[in-house]
Amino acid sequence: MKKFFLSAVFMAAFFCSFAQVSVDPTDSFYSHAQNWELKGYIPALPQIRPYPAGLVKSILETVMVEGEKKDRELALYEYERIFSKKLSVYVTGEGEFKNSENLTEETKKQTKNVKGEGGVSGEIIFNPYISFGFDLGMYAEVTDYEDIAPLYKNKAPDSVFDASSIGPMELFLDWNTNVALGTDRYYVMAGLSKTGYGPFLGDGLALNDTAFHSANLLFNITREKWSYSSVFEIIGATANNPDYYTDHSDGKYLSFHSINFRPNSHIELSYYENIVFGPNMNLAYIFPVPYMPIQNIGGANDNLQMGLLLSIRPAKGLLWATDIFVDDIEVNDIVKLNFDTKIRVAGQTGVVFAPSNSDCKSIGFNYQMVLPYVYAHWEYATDDSGEIFGATANRQNYTNAGVNIGSVLDPNSDKVSFHADFSPKPFLRFSFVTNFIRHANSAEAFDEDDAALYVLAKEGQYITDGSAYMHQMFSNPDSTSGTHVDQAWENLGFMTSDHKMGILQASLKTELDLPSTKKGRMTLFAGYTFEFVKNAGVNKNIYKGGTINWSYDSSGDKYMLDGLESSKEAVFAKAREVAATQKQQWTDSLTDRVNHYVSLGFRYVY
């Protein structure tokens, strides 16, 4: 404990976490902007976040004139926070504590962490048409994020790998910048940042504000009745099986665009497309034309999704939105009303309410569903072979440097969420969030023949943890394409597995800004999260290849098992037996857990 507090003092003196609005779509400004739009103070917002500094300034200036008293005060407070200095030096320190109790095995474990970041940031508006935002920091932590964080929550700093070690600390670069050119309604922005899309802030299906950052080029047009936005991103690739092969690769790209129609002030309808591709860059995806015919020019080998987003505003301050994200569907079966088929769709619906002139800034409730194999995609070793290796860089799945680009949920999951944000005074903020999450590992529902094929595979060839890395194909080196996994290709498979992981989370966070002085501004913050996990471990691998000593000689049609000549039937019988054992071991390893997370920290900006 003494070493922990000594580390905390040291870290607090040198490191922190802070970000500028135009390079960070998770900044609190974006929640305020959504509330102000719902109340009618400001015109329609751009579809893709973040926004240029000039637009941020324009929004705040408008609300300071048009808003009600509490919103005018908040806008003024945010204006001073963001634009009082062109360059700020910041430092933050945070101590974290996790107490985990394994209810099944009646054991307890405590984990501690000290983290922080220090750097410089700012918003520079050169003139009404050109602006520059930057946040150049160094982030450090003692304990890996995965060991201290609640389930299904992305890491806030943009640091994933390539750390430097300084004693007990891991030190990372955490840099984001952008340059914007244009007006509030028409602009181009280029830089390095996270990106977000849709009304569910920090929880989107297509572009999640909390996902890992990318090098991107963003284009926006906002008109009274319609708008168009697009972003082209250079992202990072991980291997088909990142559990075995941890290398990162370049040559992976994402392109997204959306067109929005607003026939009146109560209804908005957006159609969007996004495509993940590589290793070759296709500049045609930057053009404002449909992606489907573009990908057909090259043989339809890229990973295309599309979606519809309907937003309805029945009253001032109230929004009801529904988002349907389509990855792949079997149209022929659906027309025949057969819904136990390949339907790779994610959906989200919910409401956001921003009360007028209230200490409560917003209340939100939504339901999200990610069907099996959404976001997942395989990558062949070569263009002319259906062979799949675990070490091959995957430039098709919906991840960036190993972080989900869309929903934080794994495929075959759903979630009910509630949040409430309060601010009695601009300098005092409270937030309350609850989540109930279910996740089923689709591999548990494999029939014995599919399970046997996973066991007969090479070690590290496939992953069976139910994540976006568990795809729908088996390797087939004798063909130009792989072989379908029957259960994955022919059935819906939503929540059909026997064991489901259930997660209940409840979080409370508070922030207090101390009075500003000539020496800067200090913010104190604290947080607590309760988490109950039923069947923890469902999201772990079930079947493992490389556990049976067998081979097949195609020239002589001869099977070998444990060094002796055998038959196909005997080899598969052995594989089914091993698969049943592995599945039982996976089932026996499931546990129920209660986790408590406590955090205390500060942020100082000069």
Side-chain angles (χ1 to χ4, degrees), residues 38-60:
L38 294 178
K39 294 175 184 179
Y41 303 154
I42 56 177
L45 293 169
Q47 299 179 82
I48 299 177
R49 297 174 293 274
Y51 308 151
L55 175 57
V56 173
K57 182 179 180 182
S58 176
I59 291 171
L60 293 172

Side-chain angles (χ1 to χ4, degrees), residues 77 80 513-522 605:
Y77 194 84
E80 292 176 348
D513 297 331
L514 300 181
S516 298
T517 68
K518 293 181 179 180
K519 296 181 179 180
R521 172 183 291 175
M522 175 76 77
V605 182

Side-chain angles (χ1 to χ4, degrees), residues 63 72 123 301 358 463 495 503-504:
V63 176
R72 293 198 306 268
E123 305 283 5
N301 293 320
S358 169
I463 207 164
M495 294 292 166
I503 305 167
L504 177 63

Side-chain angles (χ1 to χ4, degrees), residues 203-222:
D203 203 21
L205 298 177
L207 298 177
N208 190 326
D209 306 87
T210 68
F212 193 60
H213 67 178
S214 66
N216 55 70
L217 176 65
L218 193 154
F219 175 73
N220 180 79
I221 298 175
T222 305

Side-chain angles (χ1 to χ4, degrees), residues 279-535:
N280 300 317
M281 180 183 288
N282 188 344
L283 294 179
Y285 289 131
I286 299 178
F287 302 157
V289 294
Y291 293 158
M292 185 174 292
I294 293 177
Q295 75 147 349
N296 283 332
I297 295 174
N301 293 320
D302 300 324
N303 186 15
L304 173 68
Q305 297 87 27
M306 57 194 69
L308 281 175
L309 173 59
L310 175 64
S311 298
I312 300 175
R313 299 173 183 173
K316 181 181 179 180
L318 181 61
L319 169 69
W320 173 33
T322 300
D323 188 5
I324 304 297
F325 177 95
V326 180
D327 194 343
D328 194 11
I329 56 174
E330 187 60 59
V331 177
N332 291 335
D333 286 341
I334 293 176
V335 170
K336 298 175 184 177
L337 301 182
N338 174 22
F339 298 103
D340 185 22
T341 185
K342 182 177 62 174
I343 303 177
R344 309 296 172 234
V345 173
Q348 189 171 19
T349 187
V351 296
V352 178
F353 177 56
S356 295
N357 215 27
S358 169
D359 292 345
C360 178
K361 296 308 174 185
S362 70
I363 299 173
F365 177 85
N366 76 81
Y367 172 73
Q368 182 180 133
M369 174 178 62
V370 182
L371 295 183
Y373 300 99
V374 176
Y375 302 129
H377 209 281
W378 58 93
E379 182 81 18
Y380 296 128
T382 62
D383 291 339
D384 58 354
S385 170
E387 191 163 16
I388 298 173
F389 291 124
T392 302
N394 193 317
R395 297 183 175 91
Q396 298 289 320
N397 64 17
Y398 211 66
T399 67
N400 175 16
V403 180
N404 286 5
I405 297 170
S407 172
V408 296
L409 299 180
D410 286 323
N412 204 0
S413 301
D414 63 358
K415 177 175 69 171
V416 177
S417 299
F418 170 82
H419 82 265
D421 298 322
F422 300 88
S423 182
K425 295 292 183 180
F427 57 82
L428 179 61
R429 300 171 293 277
F430 301 94
S431 64
F432 178 67
V433 177
T434 61
N435 296 308
F436 176 67
I437 302 169
R438 296 188 305 165
H439 169 63
N441 188 335
S442 297
E444 187 186 4
F446 290 157
D447 62 31
E448 61 178 9
D449 291 330
D450 280 346
L453 288 174
Y454 280 100
V455 171
L456 292 172
K458 300 174 183 177
E459 183 179 7
Q461 186 171 18
Y462 303 120
I463 207 164
T464 56
D465 63 354
S467 70
Y469 290 95
M470 192 177 85
H471 51 74
Q472 309 165 45
M473 304 291 282
F474 288 119
S475 178
N476 185 5
D478 298 326
S479 176
T480 57
S481 61
T483 303
H484 298 151
V485 179
D486 289 341
Q487 181 269 352
W489 201 261
E490 298 174 359
N491 303 106
L492 174 61
F494 182 59
M495 294 292 166
T496 57
S497 302
D498 293 332
H499 298 85
K500 301 171 183 64
M501 183 166 64
I503 305 167
L504 177 63
Q505 298 170 333
S507 302
L508 178 64
K509 183 177 181 180
T510 181
E511 292 189 359
L512 172 65
D513 297 331
L514 300 181
S516 298
T517 68
K518 293 181 179 180
K519 296 181 179 180
R521 172 183 291 175
M522 175 76 77
T523 300
L524 305 178
F525 54 86
Y528 168 73
T529 298
F530 168 83
E531 180 179 64
F532 171 71
V533 185
K534 178 71 174 178
N535 288 328

Side-chain angles (χ1 to χ4, degrees), residues 67-122:
E68 296 177 323
K69 180 181 178 182
K70 284 185 175 292
D71 287 305
R72 293 198 306 268
E73 292 175 351
L74 179 58
L76 176 61
Y77 194 84
E78 288 288 273
Y79 189 95
E80 292 176 348
R81 173 178 75 91
I82 298 168
F83 296 108
S84 60
K85 291 185 178 180
K86 292 184 178 180
L87 185 147
S88 297
V89 178
Y90 64 87
V91 60
T92 288
E94 184 173 1
E96 297 178 310
F97 176 78
K98 174 184 177 182
N99 184 76
S100 180
E101 183 177 358
N102 186 324
L103 302 179
T104 305
E105 300 174 356
E106 297 183 349
T107 59
K108 294 183 179 180
K109 180 181 179 182
Q110 295 182 344
T111 307
K112 305 178 184 71
N113 184 36
V114 179
K115 65 181 183 180
E117 186 172 336
V120 295
S121 63

